[in-house]
Amino acid sequence: MSKFTMGYFTMKEADVLDYATTVLDCFDSHAVLSCKEIGDGNLNYVFRVMDEKAGKSIIIKQAGPCARISDEFKVSPDRNRIESEILQLQHRLAEGFVPRVFKYDPIMNCCVMEDLSDHVIMRRALMEHKKFPFFADHITTFMTKTLLLTSDVMMDHKAKKELVKNFTNPELCEITEDLVYTEPFFDCPRNDVFPPTRGYAEKELWSDEALLLETAKLKFEFMTNAQSLLHGDLHTGSIFIKPDSTKVIDPEFAFYGPAGYDVGNVIANLIFAYENAEATIEDQQEKIDYKGWLEETIIQVMDLFVDKFKELWKEHTTERTAKYKGFDAYYLNNIIRDTAAVAGCELCRRILGIAHVKDITAIEDLEKRARAEKICLSVGKTFILQREKLKSGRDFMSVVKDWEVKIK
Ligand code: SR1
Ligand code: MG
């Protein structure tokens, strides 16, 4: 009997090689394989297994019993089932935008999938000031299809409720409830605040009761609005990219929540890239050019989402009452409002909370980093408070540009 059938254990590189040779049939039986752990996320172990001679490789991703970032987070390895199943569902809904899954192993809590090493992690590429002209088009196709086609507007309601059951993800949702909606908005011991930013956070966020009330409303929206099957963690570190291809990875936070959660995460993380460019590009012309591309991309993410939402709505709405005049605009308006609010929470939590983004922490000049952090916090707060008024990508960008002028 193989050690891989006797019970779960966390694998090291040597175990993964053994696993690839004895359990999988992805490689020739005489192939010489190598294995390297390449994960740099907060939660899991990611191994690349290669047959260099044949030019073949796969990824084996295993969920450990706690998060890599801190063993305070005990998270069930069952999240690997959620990830494997949603990747297969997303492949059916939005073909070409996620890696192919070859196998899910419920004993070892690992999945075997396509290696995307011809792509790069988008956050890193944006920090090197690379442009991706098709990104807005690709990500809005992915989001509209995965979000709308899993909603009650377009699905049989009983089948949708089965998906809600299957993708109930309490532990990972709890991480989001704490890290995104709660801890950034008070002086939580688990926060990790850059000292020059602390005073600003105390004054502008932690003591603003009107803001706190709005974050409470948003947290309850997140916990109770089972609108769409979300990716749940759609930041630029969850996107593999090359100029003509965009692949969304790491959907282990998937669950039924407000559709604007995914859209808002994409927008906030593009804003981090925008502030990284503001702080790190020396040459003025290059800065204007790169920020201009990011600005256009942010605008297009919101606006193409709206266009594609309208097209899909016309083609795929099955629910009778959703066809009543005006309901489409009401529904879309709510998603745009939630997008603004979630972008706001993400902008605040990545600055003050435990899980930062490199776009900001890698800014070496400490004054420039402090300025970038204050801009992100102020934009975040404005997005939350003004969410009913922000209707387009241009509205979002004018908030960002106003704060860049105000914060010196
Ligand atoms: C304990 S996990 C911290 C963060 O990493 C993930 O990517 C999610 O964004 C989560 O909030
Ligand atoms: Mg992740």
PDB file of all heavy atoms in Angstrom, residues 127 276 280 357-365 369:
ATOM      1  N   MET A 127       5.102  45.658 -11.085  1.00  0.00           N
ATOM      2  CA  MET A 127       6.171  46.358 -10.364  1.00  0.00           C
ATOM      3  C   MET A 127       7.397  46.582 -11.251  1.00  0.00           C
ATOM      4  O   MET A 127       8.232  47.434 -10.956  1.00  0.00           O
ATOM      5  CB  MET A 127       6.547  45.590  -9.092  1.00  0.00           C
ATOM      6  CG  MET A 127       5.457  45.687  -8.019  1.00  0.00           C
ATOM      7  SD  MET A 127       5.783  44.622  -6.606  1.00  0.00           S
ATOM      8  CE  MET A 127       7.286  45.344  -5.968  1.00  0.00           C
ATOM      9  N   ASN A 276       2.577  52.427  -6.697  1.00  0.00           N
ATOM     10  CA  ASN A 276       3.972  51.976  -6.804  1.00  0.00           C
ATOM     11  C   ASN A 276       4.665  52.756  -7.925  1.00  0.00           C
ATOM     12  O   ASN A 276       5.792  53.247  -7.747  1.00  0.00           O
ATOM     13  CB  ASN A 276       4.021  50.467  -7.085  1.00  0.00           C
ATOM     14  CG  ASN A 276       5.443  49.996  -7.359  1.00  0.00           C
ATOM     15  OD1 ASN A 276       5.952  50.132  -8.464  1.00  0.00           O
ATOM     16  ND2 ASN A 276       6.107  49.487  -6.337  1.00  0.00           N
ATOM     17  N   THR A 280       7.941  55.084  -7.493  1.00  0.00           N
ATOM     18  CA  THR A 280       9.233  54.484  -7.860  1.00  0.00           C
ATOM     19  C   THR A 280       9.767  54.877  -9.238  1.00  0.00           C
ATOM     20  O   THR A 280      10.955  54.692  -9.487  1.00  0.00           O
ATOM     21  CB  THR A 280       9.172  52.933  -7.800  1.00  0.00           C
ATOM     22  OG1 THR A 280       8.214  52.477  -8.763  1.00  0.00           O
ATOM     23  CG2 THR A 280       8.809  52.435  -6.417  1.00  0.00           C
ATOM     24  N   VAL A 357       0.930  44.175   0.579  1.00  0.00           N
ATOM     25  CA  VAL A 357       1.250  43.933  -0.842  1.00  0.00           C
ATOM     26  C   VAL A 357       2.632  44.523  -1.126  1.00  0.00           C
ATOM     27  O   VAL A 357       2.966  45.611  -0.636  1.00  0.00           O
ATOM     28  CB  VAL A 357       0.187  44.553  -1.788  1.00  0.00           C
ATOM     29  CG1 VAL A 357      -1.085  43.721  -1.789  1.00  0.00           C
ATOM     30  CG2 VAL A 357      -0.114  46.005  -1.462  1.00  0.00           C
ATOM     31  N   LYS A 358       3.380  43.793  -1.966  1.00  0.00           N
ATOM     32  CA  LYS A 358       4.757  44.219  -2.252  1.00  0.00           C
ATOM     33  C   LYS A 358       4.809  45.558  -2.985  1.00  0.00           C
ATOM     34  O   LYS A 358       5.781  46.295  -2.845  1.00  0.00           O
ATOM     35  CB  LYS A 358       5.462  43.159  -3.096  1.00  0.00           C
ATOM     36  CG  LYS A 358       5.778  41.889  -2.324  1.00  0.00           C
ATOM     37  CD  LYS A 358       7.192  41.374  -2.657  1.00  0.00           C
ATOM     38  CE  LYS A 358       7.626  40.262  -1.724  1.00  0.00           C
ATOM     39  NZ  LYS A 358       6.931  38.984  -1.984  1.00  0.00           N
ATOM     40  N   ASP A 359       3.765  45.850  -3.778  1.00  0.00           N
ATOM     41  CA  ASP A 359       3.753  47.127  -4.520  1.00  0.00           C
ATOM     42  C   ASP A 359       4.073  48.283  -3.566  1.00  0.00           C
ATOM     43  O   ASP A 359       4.714  49.248  -3.927  1.00  0.00           O
ATOM     44  CB  ASP A 359       2.373  47.425  -5.138  1.00  0.00           C
ATOM     45  CG  ASP A 359       1.684  46.213  -5.703  1.00  0.00           C
ATOM     46  OD1 ASP A 359       1.639  45.175  -5.014  1.00  0.00           O
ATOM     47  OD2 ASP A 359       1.175  46.293  -6.809  1.00  0.00           O
ATOM     48  N   ILE A 360       3.580  48.173  -2.335  1.00  0.00           N
ATOM     49  CA  ILE A 360       3.759  49.266  -1.372  1.00  0.00           C
ATOM     50  C   ILE A 360       4.976  49.006  -0.475  1.00  0.00           C
ATOM     51  O   ILE A 360       5.800  49.890  -0.274  1.00  0.00           O
ATOM     52  CB  ILE A 360       2.474  49.448  -0.523  1.00  0.00           C
ATOM     53  CG1 ILE A 360       1.250  49.717  -1.431  1.00  0.00           C
ATOM     54  CG2 ILE A 360       2.647  50.554   0.516  1.00  0.00           C
ATOM     55  CD1 ILE A 360       1.319  50.964  -2.294  1.00  0.00           C
ATOM     56  N   THR A 361       5.111  47.778   0.045  1.00  0.00           N
ATOM     57  CA  THR A 361       6.213  47.533   0.998  1.00  0.00           C
ATOM     58  C   THR A 361       7.576  47.608   0.312  1.00  0.00           C
ATOM     59  O   THR A 361       8.583  47.827   0.977  1.00  0.00           O
ATOM     60  CB  THR A 361       6.061  46.170   1.705  1.00  0.00           C
ATOM     61  OG1 THR A 361       5.988  45.151   0.705  1.00  0.00           O
ATOM     62  CG2 THR A 361       4.829  46.122   2.574  1.00  0.00           C
ATOM     63  N   ALA A 362       7.604  47.432  -1.015  1.00  0.00           N
ATOM     64  CA  ALA A 362       8.902  47.469  -1.705  1.00  0.00           C
ATOM     65  C   ALA A 362       9.346  48.893  -2.054  1.00  0.00           C
ATOM     66  O   ALA A 362      10.420  49.092  -2.610  1.00  0.00           O
ATOM     67  CB  ALA A 362       8.833  46.625  -2.982  1.00  0.00           C
ATOM     68  N   ILE A 363       8.534  49.898  -1.740  1.00  0.00           N
ATOM     69  CA  ILE A 363       8.947  51.286  -2.007  1.00  0.00           C
ATOM     70  C   ILE A 363      10.061  51.629  -1.012  1.00  0.00           C
ATOM     71  O   ILE A 363       9.826  51.695   0.201  1.00  0.00           O
ATOM     72  CB  ILE A 363       7.750  52.266  -1.861  1.00  0.00           C
ATOM     73  CG1 ILE A 363       6.641  51.897  -2.861  1.00  0.00           C
ATOM     74  CG2 ILE A 363       8.223  53.715  -2.062  1.00  0.00           C
ATOM     75  CD1 ILE A 363       5.332  52.659  -2.661  1.00  0.00           C
ATOM     76  N   GLU A 364      11.279  51.788  -1.526  1.00  0.00           N
ATOM     77  CA  GLU A 364      12.432  51.911  -0.613  1.00  0.00           C
ATOM     78  C   GLU A 364      12.504  53.265   0.090  1.00  0.00           C
ATOM     79  O   GLU A 364      12.886  53.354   1.247  1.00  0.00           O
ATOM     80  CB  GLU A 364      13.730  51.662  -1.392  1.00  0.00           C
ATOM     81  CG  GLU A 364      13.929  50.175  -1.642  1.00  0.00           C
ATOM     82  CD  GLU A 364      15.090  49.887  -2.542  1.00  0.00           C
ATOM     83  OE1 GLU A 364      15.868  50.825  -2.854  1.00  0.00           O
ATOM     84  OE2 GLU A 364      15.213  48.714  -2.959  1.00  0.00           O
ATOM     85  N   ASP A 365      12.159  54.333  -0.618  1.00  0.00           N
ATOM     86  CA  ASP A 365      12.191  55.671  -0.023  1.00  0.00           C
ATOM     87  C   ASP A 365      11.048  55.754   1.011  1.00  0.00           C
ATOM     88  O   ASP A 365       9.858  55.679   0.656  1.00  0.00           O
ATOM     89  CB  ASP A 365      11.997  56.689  -1.159  1.00  0.00           C
ATOM     90  CG  ASP A 365      11.998  58.110  -0.648  1.00  0.00           C
ATOM     91  OD1 ASP A 365      11.386  58.376   0.403  1.00  0.00           O
ATOM     92  OD2 ASP A 365      12.597  58.967  -1.311  1.00  0.00           O
ATOM     93  N   ARG A 369       7.009  55.950   0.564  1.00  0.00           N
ATOM     94  CA  ARG A 369       6.125  54.842   1.004  1.00  0.00           C
ATOM     95  C   ARG A 369       5.022  55.388   1.920  1.00  0.00           C
ATOM     96  O   ARG A 369       3.846  55.013   1.771  1.00  0.00           O
ATOM     97  CB  ARG A 369       6.929  53.761   1.729  1.00  0.00           C
ATOM     98  CG  ARG A 369       6.011  52.691   2.292  1.00  0.00           C
ATOM     99  CD  ARG A 369       6.726  51.498   2.844  1.00  0.00           C
ATOM    100  NE  ARG A 369       5.790  50.686   3.608  1.00  0.00           N
ATOM    101  CZ  ARG A 369       6.134  49.644   4.341  1.00  0.00           C
ATOM    102  NH1 ARG A 369       7.399  49.267   4.409  1.00  0.00           N
ATOM    103  NH2 ARG A 369       5.220  48.960   5.002  1.00  0.00           N
TER     104      ARG A 369
END
